[in-house]
Amino acid sequence: MSNYETKEHDVVVIGAGGAGLRAAIEAASKGLSVGLVCKSLLGKAHTVMAEGGIAAAMATVDSRDGWQTHFRDTMIGGKYLNNWRMAQIHAMEAPECVIELERWGAVFDRTDDGKILQRAFGGHTYKRLVHVGDRTGLELIRTLQDKGVHSGIDVYMECTISRLLKDDDDKIAGAFGYFREDGRYILFRTKAIVLATGGVGRSFPVTSNSWEYTADGSSLAYASGADLIDMEFVQFHPTGMVWPPGVRGLLVTEAVRGEGGRLTNKNGERFMWKYLPEALKDDYAADVKEADAWVHDTLSGKLKTDYRRPPELSTRDNVARAIYTEVTQGRGSEHDGVYLDISYQPSSRVKKKLPSMYHQFKDLADVDITRGPMEVGPTMHYMMGGIRVDADTAETKVKGLFAAGECAGGMHGANRLGGNSLSDLIVFGRRSGRGAAAYASNLTSLPKISESEIKEAIEELEAPLTRTEGLNPYQLQQRMHEITSTCFGIFRQEADLKKGLDLMEDLKEQIKTVRCSGGKLYNPAWHLCRDLKNLAIAAEAIGRSALSRKESRGAHSRLDFPDTDEDQGHENTSIKKDGDRMQVSKTPLPEMPAELKDLLKKKEATHA
Ligand SMILES: Cc1cc2nc3c(=O)[nH]c(=O)nc-3n(C[C@H](O)[C@H](O)[C@H](O)COP(=O)(O)OP(=O)(O)OC[C@H]3O[C@@H](n4cnc5c(N)ncnc54)[C@H](O)[C@@H]3O)c2cc1C
């Protein structure tokens, strides 16, 4: 008798964040049977932590906005490495997806005349982020969850998928996993799978990401034969908490700067002016007077303005490098960060606009942000790279396998703009659900799964519990963190990358013999044994891709190649599995249609 239960669905969605929920709702709306699997509780996915907002050119606050400007901002932010078709679909469909959320019950902040309020964010030309204070992710999840449970979706909570299964025809046939509480096994038989598992943040020691971010989606896809792209582009958010140590890395939302927060070093210098790229200087306020006028207008509700943005609203990669440089050159704050100050504004406004930040600092650091500055520093925040997908359907190279949200690559190029992830989730969550449903509807029966593959999946999961020799998973995780932070961090160079990759080879061997004590009941060490394999795939992919890109672009900064190289701007870095080896290659960007090139030209002329 088999020691696993079996469930059957037309479509299985792995991940119940914004992307997964939206995909599941869409697939269910086509009349299919949908299973939604998540390794935390429903409603607790990482999306719930999102703060600042959803980027969508609604033009409710600034009528000059439109999808064309959003598209252009996204491409400029991504240093033109984005999949243009994804960026176009995203910019065009984000507003209707926001309206859809509103119809399903989301209550966004409002302008005085009752329209959806939008706030400024780094790299966005106009005020564009639809938000609910600094708790936008909560509203998004609450709304989608509510809609989802009324759509007839079967939800499997606290269930981790450890392997994807294919049939003899090499197409998706199912997924195997276990329930976290007691380790009992479950097999999903299905026609199509949507991966929506989020990012890879836990491969770095300082991160804003939740415990769920163990690179499961990208690693499952890689193991099944899908390509990963642009894994060198790791976004370090400039503002994470730096003190106390227990909360180091926790996000300080960009909304603080969007609402007028000022960055200063220990000498009180507002240093961001020194770091604005020459080509983009015209986009930003020329001096403190102009920057303060922008804030003044925002505060007084005179929302339409021709003032240029304060320098603090430069893109994330740029601000993160600036802070890192200030600290390493000795101008950092007491705990190796810099100061971020919003306390010059009325305390009631700060509490209204940034309630979570107020409580986060008060409760965790005993700092009242209405009375003094916060201390902040860079934290690993987002993975721009991920599973390569078709822009229109979200299908990967593997038949029947789809991906959306942070685990998918292409949309954000070399650097993601704030707010563009939540919009990515709803736009491509919807598209992936539609794509998977269309694919599944064309199959007449569930593909077959061989019993030997299931046996292998079980043996792999149980091995760490039965070994008598091998290292503890926490020791191995610490080694990996040392490698990623010292060799694959904000600034990179060949010697470090090569050293890191050599160390990763040893680490991978050690992970093969990882060992833990106890049983399967409530055993986090056992979960980590499995996570390590996925984290190592992500870390190696980051290192190999970073080594292969011999230029600096967006979030990828090479000390030995500090300039951007025009030629390398025409290719993505691709990773694929070749037996036991990870193969890196370059693939040309798809050709952009002339009318979209024209859209970019205006900006390029001024910012070439
Ligand atoms: C603090 C913070 C604030 C942010 N604020 C913003 C913002 O304001 N605007 C913005 O655009 N972006 C923001 N981001 C980024 C954004 O929140 C994320 O990129 C986005 O929520 C990812 O959503 P997702 O649906 O791809 O994945 P998630 O929401 O992370 O969902 C992943 C799901 O996959 C499940 N899962 C993972 N692995 C497995 C497995 N093996 N088996 C089963 N289930 C699995 C998880 O349990 C979870 O349900 C923020 C990020 C952070 C960290």
Side-chain angles (χ1 to χ4, degrees):
M1 203 180 84
S2 53
N3 58 349
Y4 56 86
E5 63 179 300
T6 303
K7 296 284 175 185
E8 296 183 354
H9 293 286
D10 295 313
V11 175
V12 166
V13 178
I14 306 175
L21 275 163
R22 187 62 195 83
I25 292 167
E26 192 65 15
S29 76
K30 308 292 176 204
L32 302 186
S33 141
V34 178
L36 179 63
V37 190
C38 49
K39 65 182 186 183
S40 59
L41 291 169
L42 186 65
K44 297 283 180 191
H46 179 86
T47 297
V48 85
M49 293 162 73
E51 294 162 351
I54 309 169
M58 321 279 299
T60 51
V61 167
D62 197 320
S63 59
R64 291 171 295 179
D65 205 5
W67 76 261
Q68 294 89 342
T69 319
H70 194 182
F71 167 77
R72 201 170 59 204
D73 289 346
T74 300
M75 295 296 295
I76 290 170
K79 308 292 181 259
Y80 306 104
L81 219 60
N82 325 52
N83 176 312
W84 65 262
R85 176 67 182 144
M86 288 178 94
Q88 182 191 29
I89 291 172
H90 167 257
M92 290 175 103
E93 295 183 4
E96 73 192 53
C97 287
V98 168
I99 298 291
E100 191 176 59
L101 285 176
E102 197 175 45
R103 260 194 267 118
W104 293 346
V107 183
F108 298 114
D109 285 1
R110 299 272 145 190
T111 61
D112 287 343
D113 55 352
K115 294 188 198 135
I116 290 179
L117 183 60
Q118 302 193 267
R119 66 158 52 115
F121 241 55
H124 290 283
T125 302
Y126 302 116
K127 293 186 174 176
R128 189 178 283 149
L129 264 71
V130 174
H131 59 278
V132 184
D134 56 6
R135 293 176 181 152
T136 313
L138 176 63
E139 189 69 358
L140 183 87
I141 283 286
R142 192 193 60 72
T143 306
L144 290 176
Q145 186 182 332
D146 208 40
K147 175 76 181 166
V149 293
H150 292 101
S151 303
I153 297 162
D154 289 316
V155 181
Y156 304 87
M157 284 190 254
E158 298 198 293
C159 176
T160 299
I161 296 300
S162 66
R163 204 179 260 233
L164 302 183
L165 306 165
K166 295 193 285 187
D167 70 357
D168 290 344
D169 195 25
D170 222 24
K171 65 176 181 298
I172 281 296
F176 192 81
Y178 64 92
F179 287 93
R180 298 176 74 82
E181 56 197 345
D182 56 7
R184 69 186 194 282
Y185 297 122
I186 181 160
L187 168 70
F188 292 98
R189 295 193 63 205
T190 186
K191 297 171 181 168
I193 287 181
V194 179
L195 289 169
T197 54
V200 310
R202 290 282 152 175
S203 51
F204 284 81
V206 177
T207 178
S208 63
N209 291 180
S210 80
W211 65 269
E212 294 173 300
Y213 271 29
T214 52
D216 295 7
S218 44
S219 302
L220 289 167
Y222 168 81
S224 309
D227 291 347
L228 306 181
I229 57 166
D230 296 341
M231 294 294 282
E232 65 272 40
F233 296 112
V234 176
Q235 182 169 80
F236 292 89
H237 195 290
T239 60
M241 289 179 82
V242 293
W243 189 258
V247 293
R248 193 175 177 94
L250 200 64
L251 192 75
V252 177
T253 174
E254 188 166 330
V256 178
R257 285 174 290 132
E259 298 293 346
R262 297 165 177 164
L263 285 167
T264 52
N265 60 21
K266 75 170 183 193
N267 305 323
E269 182 194 4
R270 214 160 148 189
F271 57 84
M272 270 314 299
W273 267 290
K274 286 190 304 199
Y275 297 93
L276 291 178
E278 199 52 46
L280 292 175
K281 274 197 168 138
D282 284 352
D283 275 5
Y284 295 93
D287 50 27
V288 172
K289 201 165 150 239
E290 196 184 350
D292 286 352
W294 183 93
V295 175
H296 178 266
D297 273 7
T298 298
L299 285 181
S300 60
K302 200 172 128 199
L303 293 163
K304 281 181 196 163
T305 170
D306 285 331
Y307 291 122
R308 291 169 298 177
R309 290 167 271 164
E312 280 84 0
L313 286 175
S314 177
T315 49
R316 289 177 176 179
D317 54 335
N318 197 42
V319 184
R321 281 191 294 266
I323 295 176
Y324 181 89
T325 308
E326 287 296 303
V327 174
T328 48
Q329 293 185 354
R331 293 184 295 278
S333 62
E334 194 185 347
H335 301 105
D336 287 340
V338 294
Y339 297 107
L340 174 61
D341 192 11
I342 190 108
S343 66
Y344 67 94
Q345 296 190 9
S347 129
S348 56
R349 181 176 193 276
V350 174
K351 286 185 191 165
K352 178 164 175 245
K353 290 284 176 184
L354 303 162
S356 299
M357 285 304 105
Y358 175 74
H359 288 293
Q360 183 172 308
F361 273 89
K362 196 95 186 88
D363 298 346
L364 301 176
D366 199 21
V367 167
D368 183 345
I369 66 168
T370 66
R371 300 166 77 93
M374 305 158 233
E375 267 189 274
V376 295
T379 179
M380 191 294 185
H381 183 59
Y382 187 87
M383 174 41 108
M384 267 76 69
I387 307 160
R388 188 199 288 276
V389 290
D390 174 75
D392 288 84
T393 62
E395 189 168 17
T396 70
K397 207 170 87 180
V398 177
K399 277 182 280 175
L401 184 62
F402 298 75
E406 191 168 337
C407 70
M411 162 65 210
H412 306 285
N415 184 39
R416 174 180 71 93
L417 297 186
N420 267 2
S421 171
L422 294 189
S423 38
D424 171 0
L425 308 183
I426 48 180
V427 168
F428 292 104
R430 183 167 78 164
R431 285 218 168 223
S432 63
R434 201 177 286 162
Y439 172 88
S441 301
N442 279 331
L443 293 192
T444 47
S445 59
L446 288 170
K448 287 204 173 54
I449 296 173
S450 91
E451 200 61 38
S452 63
E453 266 211 73
I454 298 167
K455 191 165 161 264
E456 240 181 67
I458 295 176
E459 281 169 2
E460 186 185 28
L461 284 169
E462 301 209 334
L465 295 166
T466 52
R467 285 192 189 111
T468 49
E469 277 181 37
L471 287 171
N472 159 325
Y474 294 99
Q475 273 175 296
L476 294 176
Q477 185 183 38
Q478 198 181 344
R479 283 187 193 175
M480 185 184 307
H481 283 168
E482 279 160 17
I483 299 171
T484 52
S485 59
T486 56
C487 302
F488 307 156
I490 296 188
F491 285 107
R492 297 148 174 188
Q493 55 190 330
E494 183 168 310
D496 292 342
L497 290 164
K498 284 188 166 160
K499 182 176 154 210
L501 286 165
D502 283 346
L503 291 170
M504 279 305 301
E505 287 304 311
D506 297 339
L507 187 71
K508 273 166 26 191
E509 289 307 308
Q510 290 163 346
I511 290 173
K512 283 183 189 159
T513 57
V514 63
R515 182 169 85 96
C516 69
S517 54
K520 294 193 289 182
L521 197 67
Y522 298 113
N523 189 348
W526 180 54
H527 303 161
L528 183 57
C529 290
R530 187 205 62 91
D531 294 343
L532 279 173
K533 184 179 154 196
N534 295 338
L535 289 168
I537 291 173
E540 183 181 351
I542 292 168
R544 292 206 183 282
S545 304
L547 182 63
S548 79
R549 186 167 287 281
K550 296 187 182 348
E551 63 158 350
S552 292
R553 179 181 296 270
H556 173 63
S557 304
R558 289 277 302 248
L559 289 170
D560 45 355
F561 296 100
D563 299 325
T564 300
D565 171 25
E566 174 60 24
D567 289 344
Q568 294 181 58
H570 300 290
E571 51 194 28
N572 294 117
T573 310
S574 301
I575 294 276
K576 75 171 181 197
K577 189 166 160 37
D578 178 16
D580 273 349
R581 282 186 50 246
M582 189 174 273
Q583 198 186 86
V584 189
S585 61
K586 298 290 174 185
T587 43
L589 291 177
E591 184 65 24
M592 194 188 296
E595 68 270 19
L596 293 182
K597 280 188 187 156
D598 285 346
L599 277 181
L600 298 180
K601 266 190 199 141
K602 190 179 138 230
K603 203 74 175 176
E604 268 179 346
T606 30
H607 304 308

